[in-house]
Amino acid sequence: MMSERAITDPENIYLQSAKAFHLEMPLYTQFDLSVGAVAEKVFACVSHAGTIDAYCIYCEKESVFKTTENIHETPQRKNEYVKESDFEAWSNRGYGFDRVVHTCTRGGHNYYAYYFRSKETLIKFGQLPSAADFQIPQAGKYRKILGEQQYKELTRGIGLAAHGVGIGSFVYLRRIFENQIEEAHKAATGGVDEDAYARARMDEKIQILADHLPEFLVENKTLYSILSKGIHELTEEECRRHFEALKIGIEQILDEKIEKAEKLAKAERARKAIQGVSQEVSKEKEGTA
Ligand SMILES: [Zn+2]
């Protein structure tokens, strides 16, 4: 059965790599296979038989995963391997299940992904560990810079998105994003026309605060135009579609903040070290005088 939710855009973010497709794509994402370019990209991902660089939750670090299974099963229990050269055959098969397994080359740990396919659509219906299971440990590096409250909201957003919840997950990211803007607003006190700021849309606020925000955010402010929309105007599908782009944007902002904080901390350590040396030198001078 064809659903209006099925993705028809071959440039969709989850079709751009086997990693995005198998590991990052939320559950219940659907593709319209009647669109030739979409079907070809879906097939490329399903039949991918190379390696994927990804975080292993069992090793607790980045690892290389190898495709160890890509099988198409029909209800008649007929298991067939999906070969990379077999687009025609794959397209012509009836409804059934595609199972893809990636194995961590360091420790033999398995990541599973399951898809249901009819002639017209493919839908992801299973993943273990979940996208949230390995995205949340990676978000841990933002805990300090975000603080407990915002960090909780980030992980909740990731968790909801991994389970196909659009609006709910989007609201959490939007709150974090708005908090980042508000922090910059506070840091800019005195230098901002408050009346104009209060009336400004999100992209205009970013422009007003440009000197106090990470460069990436200012350069990509069009990405956030959707944030100017009221929550009631956004559809479940729109939120799901924009979640990943917004998440990457927020990570970029936070990475820039962490980098800046590290630079400041290093400069501070250097300043103290130099002060220590100069005190010692002047003491030595006093001693020899
Ligand atoms: Zn592993």
Side-chain angles (χ1 to χ4, degrees), residues 56-113:
C56 179
I57 62 164
Y58 307 105
C59 293
E60 295 184 351
K61 53 179 141 182
E62 285 290 318
S63 183
V64 177
F65 285 78
K66 245 177 84 180
T67 315
T68 46
E69 257 184 49
N70 30 18
I71 284 176
H72 182 75
E73 293 176 324
T74 66
Q76 290 79 39
R77 295 177 175 276
K78 190 180 163 215
N79 297 353
E80 289 177 89
Y81 279 92
V82 180
K83 294 194 193 73
E84 277 181 286
S85 55
D86 253 7
F87 179 60
E88 280 297 306
W90 180 82
S91 306
N92 292 330
R93 283 194 194 104
Y95 73 94
F97 303 97
D98 286 319
R99 180 174 82 227
V100 179
V101 183
H102 287 96
T103 305
C104 163
T105 54
R106 183 185 283 121
H109 309 117
N110 288 335
Y111 275 20
Y112 302 91

Side-chain angles (χ1 to χ4, degrees), residues 222-238:
T222 50
L223 183 69
Y224 307 105
S225 59
I226 193 153
L227 286 165
S228 298
K229 280 195 184 182
I231 280 294
H232 60 279
E233 290 176 74
L234 296 165
T235 66
E236 182 70 7
E237 181 53 33
E238 261 181 312

